[in-house]
Amino acid sequence: MAIKEQQVTAEGAGHERRSPAEPVVSDRLDGLFGSLSARKRVAASQLPVTLTIALVVAATAVFSPQTFANRLFLAALLFHLAIAAASLAVPWGRLPAQAFVVIPLLDCLAIGFTREAGGPPFNVLSMMLVFPVIWLSAYVRPYMPVLAIAGAVLSTVVPSALQGSSTAGGSMIRTLILPLVLSIIAVTAHVVATTIRRHRTRLIENEQALSRTLRQSIRRQALLDAVLKAVGVGVWVVDAKGNTVLANRAMHGDPSLAGIVDPAAGTALLRSADSSTPVPAKLLPAARAAAGEAFTDELYWAGPAERQRAYSVSSHSFPPAGGQEGGSVITFVDVTSLIAAMAAKDDFVATVSHELRTPLTSILGYLELVLDEPGHEEIREELLVVRRNAEHLLGLVNDLIAVASERVDLALEKADLSRLVALEVDAVMPRTAGHGLQLVLEAEEPLPAMMDPERIAQVVRNLLSNAIKYSPNSGLITVRTFRTGEGVVCSITDTGMGMTREEQDQAFTKFFRSARSRETAIPGAGLGLPVSKTIIEGHGGTIRLDSEPGRGTTATFILPES
């Protein structure tokens, strides 16, 4: 009888599910045995003893029929028959789970009586004690091996005592050795059964955990598939070598991008932001991602010249996990319509600005004539106000034109940056005094460079104006000019409200104004920094902001010396 069968029987009406990892035959046996009632399970566990006794009866009838004349032998056989009948007739399911132990204990006594009644030829029946001993020992309760050992002792002591047999010699050896051997078998069976049960429980728990994980993985995979199919953004997953791992329908369905994912689908040539320069192989999105580079909103153009599409491309890497190598997720967002709309807006702004500049120039010309003619002394102050506002409006129009075209006309000449900055600082001194601000100039002289003096003066005015507008009363503005290995530098630092990182990222965007400036009604059109950036980059220089909310801002531009 298998240990597992004994274990299930001992558990009474309890059922256990078998792990799919176990052999198929074992699964079928477990399923069959577990489907039986408690009564049938006890009878099935008793079956090995019953069948063995039936074989003993048959062998006795053939080889030693005279043994049936022994009344004690017949009584022992009837004892076995009664135990078998009881195992099948008793409603074990209604009794406590441990009630079944009566059967294997009675088996031990019955086997002992049969062996004693049969005499020396039947001593081999002692081997039958293995069945009830293992049946008891395989049970989960730790006291069951003790009962099994007690049953083995009873099987040798009680029959001898009832028959008055001597305990000397061979009988004494059997009385000591047989229980000792069966005790070792009982302990071994209990340890093995406990170990199997523990491993079995762990396997079942692991199987259940794997099943839950599998169900979650299937659900997540289905959700991911649905998301990838639903989104209109091209999603391309590549491994650490830049090879395609996954691409959604938006990637495969876009003729301009299909060749990027699957070269067999056609040649896909990516072009840079100017829409004409082919992108070198090492700067392609997959190559950059394979090199470990993360980038966001890079502009690429794809498709034939007559049907080019613009894409905002971003790449985000993911680390290795679960024995799988890492890679990157690259997204392609079609921004062709947005690019076209921005171009149309810039064209509109440029057109309107040009149209506005002509009448403004005419207005300023006639104002100059009026101011030069005598007889208007009474309204001269009013005319000067008109001229000042018209000039301001013309400056805004010029800024709009520069921003829209992203270029300015420059008249380069050799000039001293320190002297130019000093003049602009002197010009705003009255204004800073009126705001209760302290203005400090730290100039390294001279700082000659090739520049358009009027345009650079415009940049300095814009930066000083921002510093004044965004600084509180009694604040400090520090202007410095100096030379570095990159060129000549001008920095303007204020102690004003400062900007967040997000605001700094957008500060050079056309018409951008921070939420704080809007809330405090600080005047401005959001053109000063974009125009300054256009001018500085037109000189081949750079401009940047360093800021922290509540602690002020430093605006720095660098011009090449030659």
Side-chain angles (χ1 to χ4, degrees):
M1 180 178 60
I3 293 178
K4 290 181 182 177
E5 293 177 342
Q6 295 171 352
Q7 174 188 337
V8 176
T9 301
E11 296 287 355
H15 292 236
E16 291 189 33
R17 295 184 179 274
R18 269 46 182 178
S19 169
E22 297 179 20
V24 175
V25 174
S26 175
D27 288 343
R28 291 178 178 176
L29 289 176
D30 284 347
L32 176 63
F33 199 80
S35 64
L36 299 176
S37 64
R39 179 185 302 175
K40 291 181 179 179
R41 287 200 298 274
V42 173
S45 298
Q46 174 64 20
L47 188 61
V49 175
T50 303
L51 291 177
T52 303
I53 291 298
L55 291 175
V56 169
V57 171
T60 302
V62 173
F63 299 108
S64 183
Q66 66 276 9
T67 306
F68 289 114
N70 187 331
R71 293 183 178 180
L72 183 59
F73 183 78
L74 291 176
L77 295 179
L78 290 175
F79 192 11
H80 279 293
L81 181 61
I83 294 172
S87 65
L88 186 61
V90 174
W92 300 104
R94 300 178 184 176
L95 300 178
Q98 292 80 10
F100 79 95
V101 300
V102 174
I103 298 298
L105 288 175
L106 291 177
D107 279 337
C108 291
L109 290 174
I111 292 170
F113 280 119
T114 306
R115 182 192 63 232
E116 288 291 333
F122 288 83
N123 284 341
V124 71
L125 294 183
S126 295
M127 296 180 58
M128 290 180 59
L129 291 171
V130 170
F131 294 129
V133 165
I134 291 180
W135 183 0
L136 288 169
S137 301
Y139 194 70
V140 68
R141 298 289 186 269
Y143 58 81
M144 285 300 178
V146 177
L147 290 179
I149 296 171
V153 172
L154 291 176
S155 71
T156 58
V157 174
V158 173
S160 299
L162 291 178
Q163 284 190 328
S165 301
S166 174
T167 57
S171 178
M172 189 64 184
I173 292 175
R174 184 181 64 197
T175 302
L176 295 176
I177 297 301
L178 183 60
L180 180 61
V181 172
L182 290 175
S183 298
I184 295 174
I185 292 175
V187 172
T188 303
H190 184 73
V191 171
V192 171
T194 302
T195 303
I196 291 175
R197 187 180 298 109
R198 185 164 51 248
H199 283 285
R200 183 186 188 85
T201 302
R202 188 177 297 115
L203 285 173
I204 293 175
E205 291 174 351
N206 291 342
E207 177 196 0
Q208 293 172 345
L210 287 174
S211 298
R212 289 193 298 270
T213 303
L214 179 59
R215 288 194 298 270
Q216 293 173 356
S217 297
I218 292 174
R219 177 175 175 78
R220 288 172 181 159
Q221 183 63 45
L223 179 60
L224 176 61
D225 291 342
V227 171
L228 290 178
K229 290 178 181 178
V231 298
V233 176
V235 180
W236 183 24
V237 182
V238 298
D239 60 21
K241 298 179 181 178
N243 300 318
T244 299
V245 176
L246 172 69
N248 69 342
R249 184 162 52 188
M251 286 292 292
H252 288 294
D254 191 330
S256 300
L257 300 178
I260 299 176
V261 180
D262 182 11
T267 302
L269 179 63
L270 285 181
R271 300 182 183 276
S272 58
D274 62 6
S275 75
S276 59
T277 305
V279 178
K282 64 179 181 180
L283 295 181
L284 290 171
R288 295 173 65 183
E293 181 182 354
F295 50 91
T296 304
D297 295 332
E298 296 279 348
L299 184 62
Y300 287 89
W301 291 81
E306 66 277 5
R307 297 193 307 276
Q308 274 193 329
R309 308 291 298 175
Y311 297 91
S312 175
V313 183
S314 301
S315 174
H316 301 278
S317 61
F318 57 87
Q324 301 294 320
E325 64 177 2
S328 298
V329 178
I330 306 174
T331 57
F332 289 76
V333 181
D334 190 335
V335 293
T336 308
S337 300
L338 178 60
I339 294 293
M342 291 176 64
K345 182 198 71 174
D346 290 342
D347 289 342
F348 172 76
V349 171
T351 301
V352 171
S353 300
H354 279 289
E355 293 297 326
L356 288 173
R357 184 163 59 176
T358 301
L360 280 172
T361 304
S362 178
I363 290 172
L364 285 170
Y366 280 106
L367 277 173
E368 292 297 331
L369 292 176
V370 172
L371 287 169
D372 290 340
E373 291 182 359
H376 301 95
E377 290 76 7
E378 295 180 359
I379 60 171
R380 182 175 181 80
E381 291 299 325
E382 288 79 1
L383 292 175
L384 289 174
V385 172
V386 172
R387 185 177 67 177
R388 185 167 60 250
N389 284 282
E391 289 174 344
H392 176 67
L393 184 57
L394 181 60
L396 286 177
V397 170
N398 289 332
D399 288 346
L400 284 172
I401 294 173
V403 167
S405 63
E406 295 186 350
R407 59 177 296 275
V408 290
D409 295 326
L410 301 176
L412 298 179
E413 60 181 75
K414 200 79 168 182
D416 183 359
L417 178 63
S418 291
R419 182 175 181 278
L420 185 150
V421 171
L423 292 174
E424 294 302 325
V425 169
D426 289 339
V428 299
M429 276 291 188
R431 184 178 170 193
T432 56
H435 285 77
L437 300 173
Q438 182 182 1
L439 181 59
V440 176
L441 173 62
E442 299 175 2
E444 177 183 319
E445 296 184 5
L447 293 176
M450 292 298 296
M451 67 180 77
D452 183 329
E454 180 55 37
R455 288 296 189 179
I456 296 301
Q458 181 182 356
V459 172
V460 176
R461 284 195 298 273
N462 287 340
L463 299 182
L464 284 172
S465 176
N466 284 343
I468 295 170
K469 285 192 297 185
Y470 295 106
S471 293
N473 291 339
S474 72
L476 172 65
I477 299 175
T478 304
V479 182
R480 299 176 61 232
T481 59
F482 53 94
R483 178 183 284 103
T484 66
E486 299 177 82
V488 295
V489 182
C490 174
S491 70
I492 300 176
T493 302
D494 64 61
T495 55
M497 64 178 64
M499 290 184 289
T500 64
R501 172 55 58 185
E502 293 75 15
E503 290 171 341
Q504 291 179 62
D505 292 339
Q506 301 182 63
F508 292 101
T509 304
K510 306 168 191 176
F511 310 110
F512 171 77
R513 303 193 68 224
S514 66
R516 180 75 181 277
S517 64
R518 294 194 301 272
E519 292 170 358
T520 54
I522 295 176
L527 292 175
L529 288 177
V531 170
S532 298
K533 183 173 184 291
T534 301
I535 294 172
I536 295 300
E537 291 180 349
H539 282 77
T542 59
I543 184 170
R544 71 173 187 273
L545 296 177
D546 297 293
S547 185
E548 187 175 341
R551 304 192 64 177
T553 301
T554 296
T556 305
F557 68 84
I558 304 174
L559 297 176
E561 292 190 79
S562 59

